[in-house]
């Protein structure tokens, strides 16, 4: 198993998983009361449940979440991120887990952002995503 530079997977297993959420409908919704919902939030909840993690949500714009991730404050970021995210210098994207059509009709591959260097966490999440999609 690959190693994590900061031990994120080890800490998150039966412990806290720090997740940033940016509203991007329909993938991620942040309600006025701070509740995070949508298909990506459900994916993260299922993943966290599988490793016994308790999610600590941070809600903000992707630019701020990317900064927080670079500063080691977040483990994952969701919000309908495209594979060609401009934040790839601060966020390590998973391999695409879903392809969708954008408003202009083009295909867009969705990813989840992982803190760079947290390779065990990324591999664990990608295996989970592959099992969900039937690849494994």
């Amino acid at each position: 198993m690959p190693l994590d530079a900061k031990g994120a997977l080890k800490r998150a297993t039966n412990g806290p998983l720090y997740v940033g959420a940016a509203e991007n409908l329909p993938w991620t919704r942040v309600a006025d009361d701070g509740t995070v919902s949508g298909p990506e939030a459900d994916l993260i909840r299922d993943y966290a449940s599988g490793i016994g993690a308790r999610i600590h949500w941070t809600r903000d714009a992707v630019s701020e979440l990317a900064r927080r991730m670079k500063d080691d404050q977040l483990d994952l970021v969701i919000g309908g991120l495209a594979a060609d995210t401009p934040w790839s210098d601060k966020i390590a994207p998973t391999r695409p887990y879903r392809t969708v059509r954008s408003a202009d009709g083009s295909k867009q591959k969705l990813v989840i952002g992982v803190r760079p260097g947290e390779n065990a966490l990324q591999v664990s999440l990608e295996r989970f995503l592959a099992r969900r999609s039937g690849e494994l």
Side-chain angles (χ1 to χ4, degrees):
M1 180 69 130
L3 299 176
D4 284 337
K6 306 278 180 161
L9 180 60
K10 185 176 181 180
R11 176 198 16 86
T13 301
N14 300 311
L17 178 66
Y18 298 98
V19 181
E23 183 162 278
N24 186 355
L25 300 173
W27 312 113
T28 306
R29 175 175 166 70
V30 178
D32 291 340
D33 68 358
T35 303
V36 180
S37 61
E40 285 190 340
D42 293 342
L43 272 177
I44 296 303
R45 282 188 185 93
D46 289 348
Y47 172 71
S49 176
I51 63 169
R54 295 176 314 279
I55 300 173
H56 293 260
W57 295 104
T58 298
R59 302 139 193 97
D60 217 326
V62 175
S63 58
E64 179 59 20
L65 296 173
R67 184 196 62 76
R68 288 179 187 218
M69 182 169 276
K70 187 173 182 182
D71 291 343
D72 296 333
Q73 298 173 14
L74 296 173
D75 299 317
L76 305 174
V77 170
I78 62 170
L81 297 175
D84 61 352
T85 178
W87 307 107
S88 59
D89 62 329
K90 296 176 178 79
I91 295 173
T94 60
R95 64 191 194 115
Y97 72 90
R98 184 173 187 171
T99 301
V100 298
R101 291 235 180 247
S102 62
D104 67 3
S106 64
K107 289 184 179 179
Q108 184 176 41
K109 294 180 179 187
L110 298 181
V111 299
I112 294 172
V114 180
R115 186 180 346 159
E118 299 305 291
N119 301 317
L121 177 63
Q122 184 154 356
V123 167
S124 172
L125 177 59
E126 288 187 356
R127 284 182 179 158
F128 165 82
L129 295 170
R131 281 191 301 273
R132 287 285 292 238
S133 70
E135 290 178 53
L136 291 179

